[in-house]
Amino acid sequence: MDWGTLHLSTSAGTLPPAVWADIVVNRILVVAMLAAALLVLKDYLRLWPLLAGCLVRSRGNIEIEHSLGMARSRNRCGLVGMGMLALLADRYCLYPAAFMNGLAPGVRTAVLLGILAAWLIMRAVMAALLRRGKLDSEDRAAASRALWNYFLAVLPLMLLSVVVFWLFHVVDDTARIILWAELFVVLAFTLFREGQILKGKYFVLQTFLYLCGLELIPLATIIIVAAVL
């Protein structure tokens, strides 16, 4: 064995857990994200009953938009959640684009945040098309922002999964598949509930096309970028 060489796992561009955790920038980002989570914890606890309501019925999304205070709490929690997702994406290589491998620690997280921001901007542009539709302001907001509600509802499960990965030394490939599956659950809930909100005002084809434009096209775009670059 060449003791002068650091042998790292090359699977999907990930770093071994000890190596990722030993990087000072990553430690600082984790501490900063924990501090941010504590700042919005009260908001999240107040919001949780409504998030749970979103899981069982589509109108739960409208009820959040009906309360300006709850909507603002959701938005604050969502921003912190996006930061957590960027850290998870860096640690477990949830966005395995080849160009990410050469980036320095910390820079990768910033780039991932930029990719998330670009995706959200694409969604916002598509959601703006609803302004010409038949939905009132609350239904329109509920349809376009339901993703935030389901992401925040599933986020505790993702964080619990990470704790389990750490306690039981789950290999990264398995952890990555589990986290992808949990994100797929977020997408599935979002599409289903958004469809329920929209179908009362639009024909089935119009609802399908809107869901493709709002959710599937932006998501497909960032996936294609990862595959090509």
Side-chain angles (χ1 to χ4, degrees):
M1 177 180 293
D2 181 4
W3 295 101
T5 302
L6 178 61
H7 296 277
L8 302 180
S9 169
T10 58
S11 175
T14 60
L15 291 174
V19 175
W20 191 92
D22 283 342
I23 295 174
V24 175
V25 173
N26 291 336
R27 288 186 175 187
I28 293 173
L29 290 174
V30 169
V31 171
M33 198 52 57
L34 288 174
L38 289 175
L39 288 176
V40 299
L41 181 59
K42 184 177 179 180
D43 283 329
Y44 188 85
L45 293 176
R46 290 174 55 242
L47 185 63
W48 172 250
L50 292 177
L51 295 177
C54 293
L55 293 174
V56 297
R57 56 196 179 94
S58 61
R59 184 156 186 83
N61 297 284
I62 299 173
E63 290 173 352
I64 290 178
E65 301 306 327
H66 184 70
S67 170
L68 184 59
M70 288 294 100
R72 287 176 175 171
S73 293
R74 187 271 318 279
N75 294 342
R76 287 192 292 268
C77 293
L79 290 175
V80 174
M82 286 293 109
M84 292 180 175
L85 181 58
L87 280 177
L88 292 178
D90 182 24
R91 168 61 187 83
Y92 292 102
C93 197
L94 300 181
Y95 189 71
F99 72 87
M100 299 289 295
N101 296 337
L103 299 179
V107 175
R108 282 198 303 269
T109 303
V111 170
L112 288 166
L113 282 172
I115 292 169
L116 286 172
W119 167 56
L120 293 173
I121 289 171
M122 284 189 284
R123 288 187 74 258
V125 170
M126 300 305 297
L129 298 177
L130 269 180
R131 293 177 182 174
R132 302 178 182 178
K134 305 174 183 178
L135 296 178
D136 60 35
S137 59
E138 284 186 1
D139 286 349
R140 183 168 61 245
S144 62
R145 298 170 188 167
L147 175 69
W148 291 96
N149 301 331
Y150 294 111
F151 169 65
L152 288 173
V154 175
L155 183 59
L157 177 61
M158 298 180 69
L159 297 177
L160 178 61
S161 298
V162 171
V163 173
V164 173
F165 300 156
W166 176 69
L167 289 175
F168 293 95
H169 306 288
V170 176
V171 297
D172 282 2
D173 289 342
T174 301
R176 187 179 309 111
I177 292 171
I178 292 172
L179 291 173
W180 276 338
E182 290 168 346
L183 289 172
F184 178 79
V185 169
V186 173
L187 178 62
F189 262 110
T190 299
L191 290 173
F192 181 64
R193 296 304 186 194
E194 284 178 350
Q196 289 182 318
I197 294 170
L198 294 168
K199 72 177 183 180
K201 300 290 184 179
Y202 295 98
F203 294 117
V204 173
L205 180 59
Q206 290 175 304
T207 297
F208 174 75
L209 292 176
Y210 173 75
L211 292 177
C212 287
L214 180 63
E215 304 297 352
L216 300 183
I217 291 177
L219 181 61
T221 299
I222 64 170
I223 291 175
I224 291 171
V225 168
V228 172
L229 302 180

